[in-house]
Amino acid sequence: MNHTPAPGGPTPAPSDTTVTVLERISGQFADIARSMTSISDDMTTLQSILGAAPVPPQPSPQPVPPQAVPPSPHQHQPMPAPYAIPTYQPVRPAPYAMPAGPMPVGPMPVGPIPPRPSYPPAGHRPPIPPRKTMSERISQAAERGLVGKLLAAAGVGITLIGVVLLLVLAAQAGLLRPELRVAGGALLAVALVGVGAVLGRDARRRSGAAALVATGVATALFDVLAITAIYHWVPDYAALILAAVIAAGGLGIAHWWDSQALALMVGIPLVVFAPFITGEIDDVLVGFLLGYTAATLWIQLGRNWIAMFATNTAVATLPLCYAVVEGMLTSPDAVQWFVVIALGLNMLLATGSALVLLRSSTQPLIVTLVASATLVPMLGATPVAGPMVASIMLALTAVVLATLALGTDHLRGVTSAVRTVWLAAGAVATCGALMAGLDGPGLVIGLAGVGFVVAVGACVTNQLALQLRIVGTVFTGLALLGSMSLGAIDRMVLRNSLSATTQAQLVIVAAVSLAAVATLTWSWARVRRCDVPTIGTIGSLISLGLVTEICVGLGGAISGGADSGFRAGHTVATITWVLTAAAGLIWARRLHGSSRTLTVTVSLVIVAAAVAKLFLFDLAALDGLFRVIAFIVVGLLLLTLGVVYAQSLNSDDGRAHPRTP
């Protein structure tokens, strides 16, 4: 029913809702007017504070009074009672009433206005500061003390050159008496050390004081070396003991001041200038430098002085390298026992020092690598020490390094990287020992034996297992390459290519290599991240080649190198391949999961290789009875294997799906 009023009827009165909305709008306009007034007053106050012209007050808008809205002619008229229908009216919150009157304005705090940050435009690059001139850099280096350190280091070198000239050239020219030269060097050393010790009481002067002390200690060491190498006033051992005492006591100041630079300024000139005093690298010089290295070990305790450790190692190792090279050039007939003992002491000293200093070092890997560098002169000591002595020396070194690698996991500072370096150095020493003492088939047998022993070690221990597998693989690979160089492939392909003795030696090589390959294959297959089928296939193929080498070698050795032994060996090898594959397939029936998959895959690869060998090689290389035996035996084995596997599958199906009565 439509209640639209008729045209020309009475105008309806505005409802209460419309009036409420109008009042709210009017109140909001009043609030805006008061806010504008307050802002205008604040701007005026701010301009007056800043000294600028006052801003004329803006007229504030007056509130708009509510006006009566004429009713719409189409507005709905309420129904008269009793026909009025009650309608739902939502309850709305009362509008917020602003307080009447202007807003109170208080004094604004006066303070500096922060500058507006300026941002560079897009794509703008900041200007490049001008490059400093050389004079400015020198001035800044002088302020940091770098110039003083460089001048002090240069002064140390030049002064020590003068000392060497005093002790050597003056003696050659006969300018001064020997007593005066030695006494002058001693007095200069005492004076320099005394002045440096006095100046070093002040920590700010220790940079220059360290240079004075270093010069004095080096001068004293050169003086002691001169009285035994040039003038022969004291025995060699007494001079070495005196030099060790001077080095340990004089460089104790470096430990006290915590100054590695002081120790370096003694060690570097020592290795450079000492050979000029002795005239050559002889026993006196080598012993003198070894004594210095041993005496200054305690100074590094509790310090992270990698540079000093490297310098001391070079001080003792470089003369030994020269001695070894000189011995190789002269090719002495007798064993130079002093060089051999010095090489062993140098290695033990460097390794023991590294083991002690690892506790306080922040870079243990570098310390271990530096200590392992002492192995370099030992690898070339065969002409100096002889094959047997050099082999024994390197073998003992390998035992020491392997013991450190496998038995120091509980020591502080010994990390996995450190133990890996020791293990690698031990492997290098082992290879050097084998090459020094063996050659030909004996060397190959030794390499294969080491590979087998290391592979067994990787299987029975969890310490450095991955590293042991790698070392064992390397040694086994070297053994395989060595057997190939001895004619292993020629023996398997050509008839009567080698003598019976050589074939017997290669049989031993192949047998040991086969044991190493089998152990390594099983060891690598235990690693989860490795491709087990690929490793198993590669190991099986290499093992098949070694089995063939053993069979052919035995046949040739037994027959005395006749053709019948060659053919019999290949026949037995082919049958052995198939028997191995059959054993693997039968064994796979007891396995489950990935182990069964691997065994079946490898066994089928062996079967395929045996069939390929039968048709591609045996058919042409064998003749007569051996060819017949090979084909008949292989065929019967494959036929039997197929029948057994077919029955096993039927029995498995029967157990999996039993008949229901």
Side-chain angles (χ1 to χ4, degrees):
M1 181 176 180
N2 190 2
H3 297 280
T4 303
T11 302
S15 62
D16 296 339
T17 304
T18 304
V19 174
T20 303
V21 171
L22 292 175
E23 291 178 354
R24 188 183 306 164
I25 293 174
S26 177
Q28 292 175 354
F29 273 107
D31 295 341
I32 293 173
R34 285 192 292 269
S35 298
M36 293 298 295
T37 302
S38 177
I39 293 173
S40 177
D41 295 340
D42 293 342
M43 291 297 295
T44 303
T45 305
L46 180 60
Q47 291 291 339
S48 62
I49 293 174
L50 298 178
V55 180
Q58 301 291 334
S60 58
Q62 298 296 328
V64 180
Q67 299 179 359
V69 180
S72 173
H74 302 286
Q75 187 175 2
H76 175 71
Q77 297 291 334
M79 296 182 62
Y83 301 101
I85 301 176
T87 59
Y88 173 75
Q89 297 292 336
V91 179
R92 297 178 178 176
Y96 176 75
M98 294 292 296
M103 296 288 294
V105 179
M108 295 183 62
V110 181
I113 300 177
R116 183 178 180 180
S118 59
Y119 299 97
H124 175 73
R125 294 184 178 179
I128 300 176
R131 182 174 297 180
K132 297 179 181 179
T133 61
M134 182 60 65
S135 59
E136 293 177 349
R137 295 181 180 180
I138 294 175
S139 177
Q140 292 180 358
E143 293 177 357
R144 294 194 305 267
L146 180 60
V147 173
K149 294 179 181 178
L150 292 177
L151 292 176
V156 172
I158 293 175
T159 304
L160 292 178
I161 291 175
V163 172
V164 173
L165 294 177
L166 172 67
L167 296 174
V168 178
L169 297 183
Q172 296 177 357
L175 298 179
L176 297 173
R177 292 176 58 83
E179 295 83 359
L180 295 178
R181 290 190 290 268
V182 174
L187 291 176
L188 178 61
V190 172
L192 290 173
V193 173
V195 174
V198 173
L199 292 178
R201 295 178 180 178
D202 188 357
R204 295 172 298 180
R205 300 180 179 178
R206 283 184 180 174
S207 177
L212 293 175
V213 173
T215 307
V217 173
T219 301
L221 293 175
F222 288 155
D223 211 29
V224 172
L225 186 59
I227 64 176
T228 184
I230 299 177
Y231 307 118
H232 306 287
W233 291 349
V234 296
D236 296 342
Y237 64 89
L240 297 182
I241 295 174
L242 180 59
V245 172
I246 293 174
L251 291 184
I253 301 177
H255 184 84
W256 181 24
W257 290 351
D258 195 11
S259 175
Q260 183 179 202
L262 195 158
L264 293 177
M265 285 187 288
V266 174
I268 295 176
L270 196 63
V271 72
V272 174
F273 298 135
F276 291 97
I277 296 179
T278 58
E280 59 179 354
I281 298 179
D282 54 1
D283 300 350
V284 175
L285 178 62
V286 172
F288 178 82
L289 296 178
L290 280 175
Y292 168 81
T293 303
T296 56
L297 172 61
W298 77 271
I299 300 170
Q300 307 170 59
L301 298 178
R303 302 289 190 266
N304 185 29
W305 290 357
I306 298 177
M308 181 181 179
F309 177 72
T311 302
N312 285 8
T313 305
V315 164
T317 305
L318 291 179
L320 288 174
C321 290
Y322 180 83
V324 169
V325 172
E326 185 67 19
M328 293 173 62
L329 295 177
T330 56
S331 299
D333 298 330
V335 177
Q336 297 183 8
W337 287 106
F338 180 82
V339 178
V340 173
I341 296 174
L343 288 172
L345 289 178
N346 184 36
M347 191 280 300
L348 292 176
L349 180 61
T351 305
S353 301
L355 191 62
V356 173
L357 298 178
L358 285 175
R359 300 180 179 181
S360 58
S361 176
T362 58
Q363 295 178 334
L365 181 59
I366 297 179
V367 173
T368 311
L369 289 173
V370 170
S372 301
T374 57
L375 189 63
V376 174
M378 299 181 67
L379 296 174
T382 303
V384 177
M388 186 59 64
V389 176
S391 179
I392 294 174
M393 179 177 60
L394 287 170
L396 293 176
T397 302
V399 171
V400 172
L401 293 173
T403 303
L404 290 175
L406 299 176
T408 57
D409 56 328
H410 61 283
L411 297 181
R412 187 179 67 181
V414 179
T415 62
S416 177
V418 170
R419 298 168 63 199
T420 302
V421 171
W422 279 333
L423 182 64
V428 173
T430 302
C431 188
L434 293 175
M435 295 178 66
L438 302 173
D439 58 354
L443 175 60
V444 179
I445 294 173
L447 292 173
V450 173
F452 173 69
V453 172
V454 175
V456 172
C459 296
V460 300
T461 182
N462 293 327
Q463 297 184 10
L464 302 178
L466 178 60
Q467 291 85 338
L468 288 174
R469 292 188 188 98
I470 295 174
V471 172
T473 303
V474 171
F475 273 92
T476 305
L478 292 176
L480 294 176
L481 293 176
S483 64
M484 292 172 59
S485 65
L486 293 176
I489 296 179
D490 296 340
R491 183 184 59 177
M492 290 189 295
V493 178
L494 304 176
R495 304 176 184 179
N496 298 327
S497 59
L498 298 175
S499 63
T501 304
T502 305
Q503 289 184 359
Q505 292 174 343
L506 289 180
V507 167
I508 299 175
V509 172
V512 180
S513 300
L514 178 61
V517 169
T519 307
L520 284 172
T521 303
W522 183 74
S523 179
W524 279 111
R526 296 170 58 190
V527 181
R528 297 181 180 179
R529 293 175 292 180
C530 292
D531 189 358
V532 178
T534 303
I535 292 175
T537 303
I538 295 174
S540 300
L541 294 178
I542 296 176
S543 300
L544 290 178
L546 293 173
V547 168
T548 305
E549 186 179 347
I550 293 173
C551 294
V552 176
L554 287 176
I558 293 173
S559 64
D563 293 344
S564 59
F566 175 81
R567 292 192 293 268
H570 272 288
T571 302
V572 174
T574 304
I575 296 174
T576 304
W577 287 22
V578 180
L579 287 175
T580 304
L585 290 173
I586 294 174
W587 175 257
R589 296 174 55 190
R590 302 182 180 182
L591 303 177
H592 303 280
S594 60
S595 300
R596 180 172 184 174
T597 303
L598 173 63
T599 306
V600 171
T601 302
V602 173
S603 301
L604 293 178
V605 169
I606 296 175
V607 169
V611 174
K613 180 179 182 296
L614 188 66
F615 283 95
L616 298 178
F617 182 82
D618 294 348
L619 188 61
L622 305 182
D623 56 357
L625 182 61
F626 292 105
R627 183 186 300 171
V628 173
I629 292 175
F631 272 84
I632 291 178
V633 173
V634 171
L636 290 177
L637 287 175
L638 293 177
L639 181 61
T640 305
L641 189 61
V643 173
V644 171
Y645 244 73
Q647 291 181 355
S648 66
L649 292 177
N650 292 333
S651 60
D652 291 341
D653 293 341
R655 287 194 301 267
H657 305 283
R659 296 181 180 179
T660 56

